Amino acid sequence: MLTQRHDHVHADMLGVEEALERILSHFHVLEAEEKPILEALGQVLAEDVTSDFDIPPMDNSAMDGYAVQFDSIKGATPKRPRLLKVRGYVAAGQLPKEEVLPGTAVRIMTGAPVPPGTDTIVPFEDTDEVERKQSDVSLSEIGVTHSVPQGTSIRRAGEDIKRGQVALTQGTVLRPGDIGVLASLGYSKVKVIRRPVVAIIATGDELLEPGESSQPGKIYDSNSYSLASAVLRYGGIPRALGIARDNLESMKSRLQEGLEADFLLTSAGVSKGDYDIVKDVLALHGRISFWSVRMRPAKPLAFGVLHGPRGRDVPHLGLPGNPVSSLVAFEEFARPAIYKMMGKSNYSKPTIEALLEEPIHNVDGRRVYARVVVTKQQGRYYARLTGNQGSNILTSMARANGLAICPEDIPEMKAGQVVKVEMLDWMEDVF
Ligand code: AMP
Ligand code: MG
């Protein structure tokens, strides 16, 4: 009996995965743009990058030392050093003027091209150069005091990247190492998928702009700020359009600007309140559906496609008004949409398994995203709740570094049980 009632309760609810799938089906990868390499950090490469030359471009020395022929130094020991005539010197950035012949050496610095005839580099430490300098003995000759294996300390042309080779593949999310590779190939600009512009409209007669003086019965708009910073963190360009009041005119005027963006986020007005105007206005501009998603927090959610200027369709996600709900819904639905537009292929957050330090209660069969602090103790992860889990308790989100997930069909997870945690942050001081 109980099970039946349970089914009935959730009959009109949408699973989290289904909601995400529906949402993502309305997003496309954006166009490519050309950008200075440093500004492309975190963006997705829009084309394969091929090298026109070898890197390194020539055989060069990995050490400060002497370029020699192995046969000239074979068997050298401190007691029986091999004496070589020094024919010249080559520094990084120069071209060698002398050839290395049997019984001779060329003094060479790290990164300098190896002179013709060289097959081995002997580092300074394996010569008597320091002693010679200290006792003012001529450096026109050098004693090799230790033999090194043939081929030592020569970095071969093309050993990093060969001419014609694909150095970076399309789809790579550019990280500092990749930006360095682009620079080493001589690129100053690169083609990447552009960042999406995400418009944000807060709605509600009760909202004040931070900086305004406080008024009885009113609260400050925090959602615009938490959402805009989340957009920024995940690679989008936020356009916070301020507060729309709970009337048609106010909402309409904000919306005009919102329709210029690649993606529109609104907060609040998606539950069954009397003054919720969002649905009426949005319905005038396109299709909009209101969902109950089987999750806690963030059950009420709206999604639609609005007709923007120049025949463009603009996907719209209506987030719940409660501050925790709007951020959790952002993580689960808006972040993947931003990633998809940016051309990323992995939408998941790093997920770990942790031992619960206190129980999570799941009263009505939804998927619970509990705000937790994850710590590492003796090599294991532990998760404890950030206090009151109400969807209006924004500090429960501010204090959290992860969202612990209690599955839909589990009424309680006990202390000591293993829980999956989606990490919001990966903090160096904890891990
Ligand atoms: P609503 O969806 O309009 O019923 O709003 C749900 C709850 O979220 C109410 O308590 C609102 O006051 C609150 N809320 C709505 N918008 C914001 C906002 N931008 N910042 C902070 N709280 C908000
Ligand atoms: Mg409201």
Side-chain angles (χ1 to χ4, degrees), residues 59-68 86 88-92 94-96 100 105-116 118 120-124 129 152-154:
D59 291 356
N60 69 95
S61 179
M63 297 288 279
D64 294 341
Y66 287 89
V68 302
V86 178
Y89 170 73
V90 58
Q94 296 180 343
L95 290 177
V100 171
V106 168
R107 196 165 182 269
I108 191 166
M109 305 308 282
T110 305
V114 300
T118 308
T120 300
I121 307 288
V122 180
F124 287 156
E129 188 182 281
T152 294
S153 298
I154 298 182

PDB file of all heavy atoms in Angstrom, residues 59-68 86 88-92 94-96 100 105-116 118 120-124 129 152-154:
ATOM      1  N   ASP A  59      69.330  19.407 -32.188  1.00  0.00           N
ATOM      2  CA  ASP A  59      69.960  18.698 -31.077  1.00  0.00           C
ATOM      3  C   ASP A  59      70.599  19.754 -30.180  1.00  0.00           C
ATOM      4  O   ASP A  59      71.288  20.652 -30.673  1.00  0.00           O
ATOM      5  CB  ASP A  59      71.056  17.750 -31.578  1.00  0.00           C
ATOM      6  CG  ASP A  59      70.485  16.564 -32.352  1.00  0.00           C
ATOM      7  OD1 ASP A  59      69.241  16.438 -32.435  1.00  0.00           O
ATOM      8  OD2 ASP A  59      71.295  15.763 -32.866  1.00  0.00           O
ATOM      9  N   ASN A  60      70.375  19.664 -28.871  1.00  0.00           N
ATOM     10  CA  ASN A  60      70.969  20.675 -27.983  1.00  0.00           C
ATOM     11  C   ASN A  60      71.341  20.061 -26.648  1.00  0.00           C
ATOM     12  O   ASN A  60      70.946  18.927 -26.329  1.00  0.00           O
ATOM     13  CB  ASN A  60      70.029  21.877 -27.820  1.00  0.00           C
ATOM     14  CG  ASN A  60      68.781  21.538 -27.040  1.00  0.00           C
ATOM     15  OD1 ASN A  60      68.724  21.739 -25.826  1.00  0.00           O
ATOM     16  ND2 ASN A  60      67.782  20.981 -27.701  1.00  0.00           N
ATOM     17  N   SER A  61      72.118  20.826 -25.888  1.00  0.00           N
ATOM     18  CA  SER A  61      72.669  20.280 -24.646  1.00  0.00           C
ATOM     19  C   SER A  61      71.676  20.385 -23.498  1.00  0.00           C
ATOM     20  O   SER A  61      71.008  21.401 -23.324  1.00  0.00           O
ATOM     21  CB  SER A  61      73.951  21.029 -24.266  1.00  0.00           C
ATOM     22  OG  SER A  61      74.447  20.490 -23.052  1.00  0.00           O
ATOM     23  N   ALA A  62      71.602  19.318 -22.683  1.00  0.00           N
ATOM     24  CA  ALA A  62      70.732  19.317 -21.503  1.00  0.00           C
ATOM     25  C   ALA A  62      71.487  19.798 -20.269  1.00  0.00           C
ATOM     26  O   ALA A  62      70.890  19.947 -19.203  1.00  0.00           O
ATOM     27  CB  ALA A  62      70.184  17.914 -21.262  1.00  0.00           C
ATOM     28  N   MET A  63      72.804  20.035 -20.391  1.00  0.00           N
ATOM     29  CA  MET A  63      73.624  20.409 -19.235  1.00  0.00           C
ATOM     30  C   MET A  63      74.611  21.501 -19.632  1.00  0.00           C
ATOM     31  O   MET A  63      74.929  21.664 -20.800  1.00  0.00           O
ATOM     32  CB  MET A  63      74.458  19.196 -18.754  1.00  0.00           C
ATOM     33  CG  MET A  63      73.660  18.013 -18.249  1.00  0.00           C
ATOM     34  SD  MET A  63      72.886  18.325 -16.644  1.00  0.00           S
ATOM     35  CE  MET A  63      74.259  18.027 -15.541  1.00  0.00           C
ATOM     36  N   ASP A  64      75.126  22.198 -18.598  1.00  0.00           N
ATOM     37  CA  ASP A  64      76.302  23.040 -18.805  1.00  0.00           C
ATOM     38  C   ASP A  64      77.504  22.094 -18.743  1.00  0.00           C
ATOM     39  O   ASP A  64      77.634  21.336 -17.776  1.00  0.00           O
ATOM     40  CB  ASP A  64      76.423  24.075 -17.675  1.00  0.00           C
ATOM     41  CG  ASP A  64      75.273  25.087 -17.708  1.00  0.00           C
ATOM     42  OD1 ASP A  64      74.621  25.218 -18.758  1.00  0.00           O
ATOM     43  OD2 ASP A  64      75.040  25.730 -16.666  1.00  0.00           O
ATOM     44  N   GLY A  65      78.344  22.108 -19.750  1.00  0.00           N
ATOM     45  CA  GLY A  65      79.462  21.164 -19.732  1.00  0.00           C
ATOM     46  C   GLY A  65      80.301  21.248 -20.982  1.00  0.00           C
ATOM     47  O   GLY A  65      80.506  22.334 -21.529  1.00  0.00           O
ATOM     48  N   TYR A  66      80.768  20.069 -21.452  1.00  0.00           N
ATOM     49  CA  TYR A  66      81.628  20.015 -22.639  1.00  0.00           C
ATOM     50  C   TYR A  66      81.059  19.036 -23.650  1.00  0.00           C
ATOM     51  O   TYR A  66      80.680  17.906 -23.297  1.00  0.00           O
ATOM     52  CB  TYR A  66      83.045  19.593 -22.242  1.00  0.00           C
ATOM     53  CG  TYR A  66      83.761  20.731 -21.520  1.00  0.00           C
ATOM     54  CD1 TYR A  66      83.654  20.865 -20.130  1.00  0.00           C
ATOM     55  CD2 TYR A  66      84.504  21.673 -22.231  1.00  0.00           C
ATOM     56  CE1 TYR A  66      84.276  21.921 -19.474  1.00  0.00           C
ATOM     57  CE2 TYR A  66      85.126  22.735 -21.591  1.00  0.00           C
ATOM     58  CZ  TYR A  66      85.005  22.857 -20.213  1.00  0.00           C
ATOM     59  OH  TYR A  66      85.611  23.903 -19.577  1.00  0.00           O
ATOM     60  N   ALA A  67      80.976  19.496 -24.894  1.00  0.00           N
ATOM     61  CA  ALA A  67      80.569  18.619 -25.985  1.00  0.00           C
ATOM     62  C   ALA A  67      81.798  17.835 -26.432  1.00  0.00           C
ATOM     63  O   ALA A  67      82.850  18.432 -26.692  1.00  0.00           O
ATOM     64  CB  ALA A  67      80.024  19.465 -27.137  1.00  0.00           C
ATOM     65  N   VAL A  68      81.673  16.511 -26.493  1.00  0.00           N
ATOM     66  CA  VAL A  68      82.843  15.666 -26.789  1.00  0.00           C
ATOM     67  C   VAL A  68      82.434  14.499 -27.688  1.00  0.00           C
ATOM     68  O   VAL A  68      81.260  14.299 -27.978  1.00  0.00           O
ATOM     69  CB  VAL A  68      83.454  15.081 -25.483  1.00  0.00           C
ATOM     70  CG1 VAL A  68      83.865  16.194 -24.529  1.00  0.00           C
ATOM     71  CG2 VAL A  68      82.470  14.126 -24.790  1.00  0.00           C
ATOM     72  N   VAL A  86      90.349  22.363 -25.640  1.00  0.00           N
ATOM     73  CA  VAL A  86      89.072  23.086 -25.760  1.00  0.00           C
ATOM     74  C   VAL A  86      89.118  23.973 -27.002  1.00  0.00           C
ATOM     75  O   VAL A  86      89.935  24.886 -27.091  1.00  0.00           O
ATOM     76  CB  VAL A  86      88.784  23.921 -24.492  1.00  0.00           C
ATOM     77  CG1 VAL A  86      87.473  24.697 -24.651  1.00  0.00           C
ATOM     78  CG2 VAL A  86      88.723  23.012 -23.264  1.00  0.00           C
ATOM     79  N   GLY A  88      86.477  25.790 -28.334  1.00  0.00           N
ATOM     80  CA  GLY A  88      85.600  26.968 -28.411  1.00  0.00           C
ATOM     81  C   GLY A  88      84.481  26.881 -27.394  1.00  0.00           C
ATOM     82  O   GLY A  88      84.509  26.044 -26.480  1.00  0.00           O
ATOM     83  N   TYR A  89      83.489  27.740 -27.580  1.00  0.00           N
ATOM     84  CA  TYR A  89      82.431  27.891 -26.589  1.00  0.00           C
ATOM     85  C   TYR A  89      81.128  28.183 -27.329  1.00  0.00           C
ATOM     86  O   TYR A  89      81.110  28.944 -28.292  1.00  0.00           O
ATOM     87  CB  TYR A  89      82.800  29.051 -25.659  1.00  0.00           C
ATOM     88  CG  TYR A  89      81.700  29.487 -24.727  1.00  0.00           C
ATOM     89  CD1 TYR A  89      81.345  28.688 -23.637  1.00  0.00           C
ATOM     90  CD2 TYR A  89      81.027  30.695 -24.928  1.00  0.00           C
ATOM     91  CE1 TYR A  89      80.331  29.086 -22.781  1.00  0.00           C
ATOM     92  CE2 TYR A  89      80.016  31.100 -24.070  1.00  0.00           C
ATOM     93  CZ  TYR A  89      79.667  30.284 -22.999  1.00  0.00           C
ATOM     94  OH  TYR A  89      78.667  30.670 -22.152  1.00  0.00           O
ATOM     95  N   VAL A  90      80.047  27.565 -26.896  1.00  0.00           N
ATOM     96  CA  VAL A  90      78.748  27.885 -27.506  1.00  0.00           C
ATOM     97  C   VAL A  90      77.684  28.055 -26.413  1.00  0.00           C
ATOM     98  O   VAL A  90      77.560  27.222 -25.519  1.00  0.00           O
ATOM     99  CB  VAL A  90      78.337  26.836 -28.585  1.00  0.00           C
ATOM    100  CG1 VAL A  90      78.272  25.433 -28.029  1.00  0.00           C
ATOM    101  CG2 VAL A  90      77.001  27.206 -29.238  1.00  0.00           C
ATOM    102  N   ALA A  91      76.991  29.202 -26.460  1.00  0.00           N
ATOM    103  CA  ALA A  91      75.938  29.511 -25.482  1.00  0.00           C
ATOM    104  C   ALA A  91      74.566  29.289 -26.109  1.00  0.00           C
ATOM    105  O   ALA A  91      74.447  29.176 -27.332  1.00  0.00           O
ATOM    106  CB  ALA A  91      76.069  30.969 -25.031  1.00  0.00           C
ATOM    107  N   ALA A  92      73.514  29.230 -25.264  1.00  0.00           N
ATOM    108  CA  ALA A  92      72.143  29.103 -25.767  1.00  0.00           C
ATOM    109  C   ALA A  92      71.837  30.288 -26.672  1.00  0.00           C
ATOM    110  O   ALA A  92      72.201  31.420 -26.351  1.00  0.00           O
ATOM    111  CB  ALA A  92      71.155  29.070 -24.603  1.00  0.00           C
ATOM    112  N   GLN A  94      73.150  30.736 -29.598  1.00  0.00           N
ATOM    113  CA  GLN A  94      74.208  30.901 -30.604  1.00  0.00           C
ATOM    114  C   GLN A  94      74.259  29.667 -31.506  1.00  0.00           C
ATOM    115  O   GLN A  94      73.665  28.637 -31.184  1.00  0.00           O
ATOM    116  CB  GLN A  94      75.570  31.028 -29.923  1.00  0.00           C
ATOM    117  CG  GLN A  94      75.702  32.272 -29.064  1.00  0.00           C
ATOM    118  CD  GLN A  94      77.066  32.343 -28.405  1.00  0.00           C
ATOM    119  OE1 GLN A  94      77.804  31.351 -28.316  1.00  0.00           O
ATOM    120  NE2 GLN A  94      77.402  33.542 -27.935  1.00  0.00           N
ATOM    121  N   LEU A  95      75.007  29.800 -32.598  1.00  0.00           N
ATOM    122  CA  LEU A  95      75.267  28.618 -33.412  1.00  0.00           C
ATOM    123  C   LEU A  95      76.733  28.238 -33.223  1.00  0.00           C
ATOM    124  O   LEU A  95      77.588  29.124 -33.140  1.00  0.00           O
ATOM    125  CB  LEU A  95      74.986  28.921 -34.890  1.00  0.00           C
ATOM    126  CG  LEU A  95      73.503  29.111 -35.231  1.00  0.00           C
ATOM    127  CD1 LEU A  95      73.332  29.490 -36.704  1.00  0.00           C
ATOM    128  CD2 LEU A  95      72.700  27.850 -34.904  1.00  0.00           C
ATOM    129  N   PRO A  96      77.043  26.955 -33.105  1.00  0.00           N
ATOM    130  CA  PRO A  96      78.440  26.552 -32.872  1.00  0.00           C
ATOM    131  C   PRO A  96      79.326  26.906 -34.064  1.00  0.00           C
ATOM    132  O   PRO A  96      78.907  26.753 -35.210  1.00  0.00           O
ATOM    133  CB  PRO A  96      78.345  25.033 -32.688  1.00  0.00           C
ATOM    134  CG  PRO A  96      77.013  24.629 -33.196  1.00  0.00           C
ATOM    135  CD  PRO A  96      76.115  25.818 -33.212  1.00  0.00           C
ATOM    136  N   VAL A 100      83.510  19.305 -33.168  1.00  0.00           N
ATOM    137  CA  VAL A 100      84.196  18.484 -32.155  1.00  0.00           C
ATOM    138  C   VAL A 100      84.933  17.348 -32.888  1.00  0.00           C
ATOM    139  O   VAL A 100      84.330  16.588 -33.638  1.00  0.00           O
ATOM    140  CB  VAL A 100      83.201  17.916 -31.125  1.00  0.00           C
ATOM    141  CG1 VAL A 100      83.883  16.891 -30.227  1.00  0.00           C
ATOM    142  CG2 VAL A 100      82.610  19.051 -30.283  1.00  0.00           C
ATOM    143  N   ALA A 105      87.218  19.242 -27.263  1.00  0.00           N
ATOM    144  CA  ALA A 105      85.915  19.511 -26.638  1.00  0.00           C
ATOM    145  C   ALA A 105      85.500  20.929 -26.983  1.00  0.00           C
ATOM    146  O   ALA A 105      86.340  21.778 -27.296  1.00  0.00           O
ATOM    147  CB  ALA A 105      86.007  19.354 -25.128  1.00  0.00           C
ATOM    148  N   VAL A 106      84.176  21.189 -26.950  1.00  0.00           N
ATOM    149  CA  VAL A 106      83.673  22.556 -27.051  1.00  0.00           C
ATOM    150  C   VAL A 106      82.861  22.811 -25.787  1.00  0.00           C
ATOM    151  O   VAL A 106      81.998  22.010 -25.426  1.00  0.00           O
ATOM    152  CB  VAL A 106      82.796  22.745 -28.314  1.00  0.00           C
ATOM    153  CG1 VAL A 106      82.050  24.076 -28.261  1.00  0.00           C
ATOM    154  CG2 VAL A 106      83.663  22.674 -29.574  1.00  0.00           C
ATOM    155  N   ARG A 107      83.195  23.890 -25.104  1.00  0.00           N
ATOM    156  CA  ARG A 107      82.456  24.242 -23.883  1.00  0.00           C
ATOM    157  C   ARG A 107      81.036  24.645 -24.300  1.00  0.00           C
ATOM    158  O   ARG A 107      80.854  25.411 -25.249  1.00  0.00           O
ATOM    159  CB  ARG A 107      83.160  25.393 -23.167  1.00  0.00           C
ATOM    160  CG  ARG A 107      82.742  25.590 -21.737  1.00  0.00           C
ATOM    161  CD  ARG A 107      83.747  26.492 -21.026  1.00  0.00           C
ATOM    162  NE  ARG A 107      83.402  26.662 -19.646  1.00  0.00           N
ATOM    163  CZ  ARG A 107      82.632  27.638 -19.167  1.00  0.00           C
ATOM    164  NH1 ARG A 107      82.153  28.547 -19.986  1.00  0.00           N
ATOM    165  NH2 ARG A 107      82.365  27.702 -17.873  1.00  0.00           N
ATOM    166  N   ILE A 108      80.028  24.135 -23.606  1.00  0.00           N
ATOM    167  CA  ILE A 108      78.639  24.326 -24.072  1.00  0.00           C
ATOM    168  C   ILE A 108      77.718  24.597 -22.890  1.00  0.00           C
ATOM    169  O   ILE A 108      77.935  24.073 -21.791  1.00  0.00           O
ATOM    170  CB  ILE A 108      78.181  23.079 -24.881  1.00  0.00           C
ATOM    171  CG1 ILE A 108      76.854  23.360 -25.617  1.00  0.00           C
ATOM    172  CG2 ILE A 108      78.032  21.844 -23.992  1.00  0.00           C
ATOM    173  CD1 ILE A 108      76.532  22.317 -26.690  1.00  0.00           C
ATOM    174  N   MET A 109      76.677  25.421 -23.123  1.00  0.00           N
ATOM    175  CA  MET A 109      75.715  25.736 -22.065  1.00  0.00           C
ATOM    176  C   MET A 109      74.370  25.065 -22.374  1.00  0.00           C
ATOM    177  O   MET A 109      74.090  24.728 -23.519  1.00  0.00           O
ATOM    178  CB  MET A 109      75.529  27.257 -21.941  1.00  0.00           C
ATOM    179  CG  MET A 109      76.825  28.031 -21.711  1.00  0.00           C
ATOM    180  SD  MET A 109      77.798  27.398 -20.332  1.00  0.00           S
ATOM    181  CE  MET A 109      76.884  28.109 -18.962  1.00  0.00           C
ATOM    182  N   THR A 110      73.556  24.899 -21.333  1.00  0.00           N
ATOM    183  CA  THR A 110      72.243  24.253 -21.490  1.00  0.00           C
ATOM    184  C   THR A 110      71.413  24.967 -22.556  1.00  0.00           C
ATOM    185  O   THR A 110      71.300  26.189 -22.528  1.00  0.00           O
ATOM    186  CB  THR A 110      71.480  24.286 -20.153  1.00  0.00           C
ATOM    187  OG1 THR A 110      72.302  23.685 -19.170  1.00  0.00           O
ATOM    188  CG2 THR A 110      70.155  23.545 -20.242  1.00  0.00           C
ATOM    189  N   GLY A 111      70.856  24.189 -23.472  1.00  0.00           N
ATOM    190  CA  GLY A 111      70.009  24.753 -24.521  1.00  0.00           C
ATOM    191  C   GLY A 111      70.764  25.148 -25.770  1.00  0.00           C
ATOM    192  O   GLY A 111      70.133  25.457 -26.790  1.00  0.00           O
ATOM    193  N   ALA A 112      72.109  25.157 -25.714  1.00  0.00           N
ATOM    194  CA  ALA A 112      72.887  25.533 -26.900  1.00  0.00           C
ATOM    195  C   ALA A 112      72.910  24.374 -27.895  1.00  0.00           C
ATOM    196  O   ALA A 112      72.940  23.211 -27.490  1.00  0.00           O
ATOM    197  CB  ALA A 112      74.316  25.901 -26.493  1.00  0.00           C
ATOM    198  N   PRO A 113      72.895  24.675 -29.204  1.00  0.00           N
ATOM    199  CA  PRO A 113      72.955  23.609 -30.215  1.00  0.00           C
ATOM    200  C   PRO A 113      74.275  22.849 -30.113  1.00  0.00           C
ATOM    201  O   PRO A 113      75.320  23.475 -29.895  1.00  0.00           O
ATOM    202  CB  PRO A 113      72.891  24.380 -31.540  1.00  0.00           C
ATOM    203  CG  PRO A 113      72.429  25.759 -31.197  1.00  0.00           C
ATOM    204  CD  PRO A 113      72.832  26.020 -29.798  1.00  0.00           C
ATOM    205  N   VAL A 114      74.241  21.524 -30.229  1.00  0.00           N
ATOM    206  CA  VAL A 114      75.498  20.777 -30.109  1.00  0.00           C
ATOM    207  C   VAL A 114      76.303  20.921 -31.396  1.00  0.00           C
ATOM    208  O   VAL A 114      75.739  20.870 -32.494  1.00  0.00           O
ATOM    209  CB  VAL A 114      75.268  19.285 -29.759  1.00  0.00           C
ATOM    210  CG1 VAL A 114      74.535  19.135 -28.433  1.00  0.00           C
ATOM    211  CG2 VAL A 114      74.529  18.552 -30.852  1.00  0.00           C
ATOM    212  N   PRO A 115      77.596  21.124 -31.265  1.00  0.00           N
ATOM    213  CA  PRO A 115      78.436  21.287 -32.460  1.00  0.00           C
ATOM    214  C   PRO A 115      78.491  19.983 -33.260  1.00  0.00           C
ATOM    215  O   PRO A 115      78.322  18.905 -32.693  1.00  0.00           O
ATOM    216  CB  PRO A 115      79.823  21.602 -31.872  1.00  0.00           C
ATOM    217  CG  PRO A 115      79.584  21.984 -30.446  1.00  0.00           C
ATOM    218  CD  PRO A 115      78.357  21.259 -30.014  1.00  0.00           C
ATOM    219  N   PRO A 116      78.734  20.088 -34.561  1.00  0.00           N
ATOM    220  CA  PRO A 116      78.893  18.870 -35.362  1.00  0.00           C
ATOM    221  C   PRO A 116      79.996  17.996 -34.775  1.00  0.00           C
ATOM    222  O   PRO A 116      80.969  18.522 -34.223  1.00  0.00           O
ATOM    223  CB  PRO A 116      79.296  19.397 -36.739  1.00  0.00           C
ATOM    224  CG  PRO A 116      79.018  20.860 -36.736  1.00  0.00           C
ATOM    225  CD  PRO A 116      78.948  21.314 -35.315  1.00  0.00           C
ATOM    226  N   THR A 118      79.730  16.005 -32.224  1.00  0.00           N
ATOM    227  CA  THR A 118      79.469  15.671 -30.819  1.00  0.00           C
ATOM    228  C   THR A 118      78.610  14.412 -30.724  1.00  0.00           C
ATOM    229  O   THR A 118      77.663  14.264 -31.482  1.00  0.00           O
ATOM    230  CB  THR A 118      78.660  16.816 -30.153  1.00  0.00           C
ATOM    231  OG1 THR A 118      79.328  18.046 -30.385  1.00  0.00           O
ATOM    232  CG2 THR A 118      78.467  16.580 -28.660  1.00  0.00           C
ATOM    233  N   THR A 120      78.317  13.154 -27.179  1.00  0.00           N
ATOM    234  CA  THR A 120      78.117  13.060 -25.734  1.00  0.00           C
ATOM    235  C   THR A 120      78.408  14.422 -25.113  1.00  0.00           C
ATOM    236  O   THR A 120      79.269  15.154 -25.611  1.00  0.00           O
ATOM    237  CB  THR A 120      79.108  12.016 -25.138  1.00  0.00           C
ATOM    238  OG1 THR A 120      78.851  10.754 -25.765  1.00  0.00           O
ATOM    239  CG2 THR A 120      78.961  11.878 -23.625  1.00  0.00           C
ATOM    240  N   ILE A 121      77.676  14.762 -24.037  1.00  0.00           N
ATOM    241  CA  ILE A 121      77.984  15.978 -23.268  1.00  0.00           C
ATOM    242  C   ILE A 121      78.484  15.549 -21.894  1.00  0.00           C
ATOM    243  O   ILE A 121      77.825  14.760 -21.210  1.00  0.00           O
ATOM    244  CB  ILE A 121      76.740  16.879 -23.070  1.00  0.00           C
ATOM    245  CG1 ILE A 121      76.041  17.212 -24.411  1.00  0.00           C
ATOM    246  CG2 ILE A 121      77.095  18.148 -22.279  1.00  0.00           C
ATOM    247  CD1 ILE A 121      76.757  18.185 -25.314  1.00  0.00           C
ATOM    248  N   VAL A 122      79.620  16.087 -21.486  1.00  0.00           N
ATOM    249  CA  VAL A 122      80.143  15.819 -20.138  1.00  0.00           C
ATOM    250  C   VAL A 122      79.829  17.043 -19.277  1.00  0.00           C
ATOM    251  O   VAL A 122      80.267  18.144 -19.594  1.00  0.00           O
ATOM    252  CB  VAL A 122      81.668  15.597 -20.156  1.00  0.00           C
ATOM    253  CG1 VAL A 122      82.187  15.321 -18.746  1.00  0.00           C
ATOM    254  CG2 VAL A 122      82.037  14.460 -21.095  1.00  0.00           C
ATOM    255  N   PRO A 123      79.034  16.871 -18.206  1.00  0.00           N
ATOM    256  CA  PRO A 123      78.733  18.038 -17.368  1.00  0.00           C
ATOM    257  C   PRO A 123      79.976  18.549 -16.639  1.00  0.00           C
ATOM    258  O   PRO A 123      80.920  17.778 -16.401  1.00  0.00           O
ATOM    259  CB  PRO A 123      77.698  17.519 -16.369  1.00  0.00           C
ATOM    260  CG  PRO A 123      77.715  16.045 -16.460  1.00  0.00           C
ATOM    261  CD  PRO A 123      78.368  15.644 -17.745  1.00  0.00           C
ATOM    262  N   PHE A 124      79.972  19.847 -16.297  1.00  0.00           N
ATOM    263  CA  PHE A 124      81.115  20.454 -15.585  1.00  0.00           C
ATOM    264  C   PHE A 124      81.571  19.615 -14.397  1.00  0.00           C
ATOM    265  O   PHE A 124      82.750  19.471 -14.137  1.00  0.00           O
ATOM    266  CB  PHE A 124      80.725  21.847 -15.053  1.00  0.00           C
ATOM    267  CG  PHE A 124      80.620  22.898 -16.117  1.00  0.00           C
ATOM    268  CD1 PHE A 124      79.821  24.018 -15.911  1.00  0.00           C
ATOM    269  CD2 PHE A 124      81.314  22.788 -17.313  1.00  0.00           C
ATOM    270  CE1 PHE A 124      79.729  25.009 -16.887  1.00  0.00           C
ATOM    271  CE2 PHE A 124      81.215  23.769 -18.295  1.00  0.00           C
ATOM    272  CZ  PHE A 124      80.411  24.883 -18.074  1.00  0.00           C
ATOM    273  N   GLU A 129      87.239  21.463 -14.254  1.00  0.00           N
ATOM    274  CA  GLU A 129      87.166  22.897 -14.569  1.00  0.00           C
ATOM    275  C   GLU A 129      87.277  23.774 -13.320  1.00  0.00           C
ATOM    276  O   GLU A 129      87.988  24.784 -13.315  1.00  0.00           O
ATOM    277  CB  GLU A 129      85.863  23.233 -15.325  1.00  0.00           C
ATOM    278  CG  GLU A 129      85.875  24.654 -15.821  1.00  0.00           C
ATOM    279  CD  GLU A 129      84.599  25.096 -16.539  1.00  0.00           C
ATOM    280  OE1 GLU A 129      84.412  24.754 -17.722  1.00  0.00           O
ATOM    281  OE2 GLU A 129      83.795  25.818 -15.904  1.00  0.00           O
ATOM    282  N   THR A 152      74.953  10.828 -23.486  1.00  0.00           N
ATOM    283  CA  THR A 152      74.454  11.550 -22.315  1.00  0.00           C
ATOM    284  C   THR A 152      74.173  13.025 -22.615  1.00  0.00           C
ATOM    285  O   THR A 152      74.952  13.690 -23.303  1.00  0.00           O
ATOM    286  CB  THR A 152      75.486  11.464 -21.167  1.00  0.00           C
ATOM    287  OG1 THR A 152      75.576  10.116 -20.763  1.00  0.00           O
ATOM    288  CG2 THR A 152      75.083  12.317 -19.958  1.00  0.00           C
ATOM    289  N   SER A 153      73.040  13.521 -22.070  1.00  0.00           N
ATOM    290  CA  SER A 153      72.711  14.950 -22.039  1.00  0.00           C
ATOM    291  C   SER A 153      72.567  15.621 -23.391  1.00  0.00           C
ATOM    292  O   SER A 153      72.744  16.831 -23.501  1.00  0.00           O
ATOM    293  CB  SER A 153      73.733  15.728 -21.176  1.00  0.00           C
ATOM    294  OG  SER A 153      73.672  15.258 -19.850  1.00  0.00           O
ATOM    295  N   ILE A 154      72.242  14.830 -24.413  1.00  0.00           N
ATOM    296  CA  ILE A 154      71.887  15.468 -25.692  1.00  0.00           C
ATOM    297  C   ILE A 154      70.379  15.335 -25.878  1.00  0.00           C
ATOM    298  O   ILE A 154      69.828  14.248 -25.826  1.00  0.00           O
ATOM    299  CB  ILE A 154      72.619  14.835 -26.891  1.00  0.00           C
ATOM    300  CG1 ILE A 154      74.121  15.019 -26.721  1.00  0.00           C
ATOM    301  CG2 ILE A 154      72.133  15.479 -28.209  1.00  0.00           C
ATOM    302  CD1 ILE A 154      74.945  14.467 -27.872  1.00  0.00           C
TER     303      ILE A 154
END
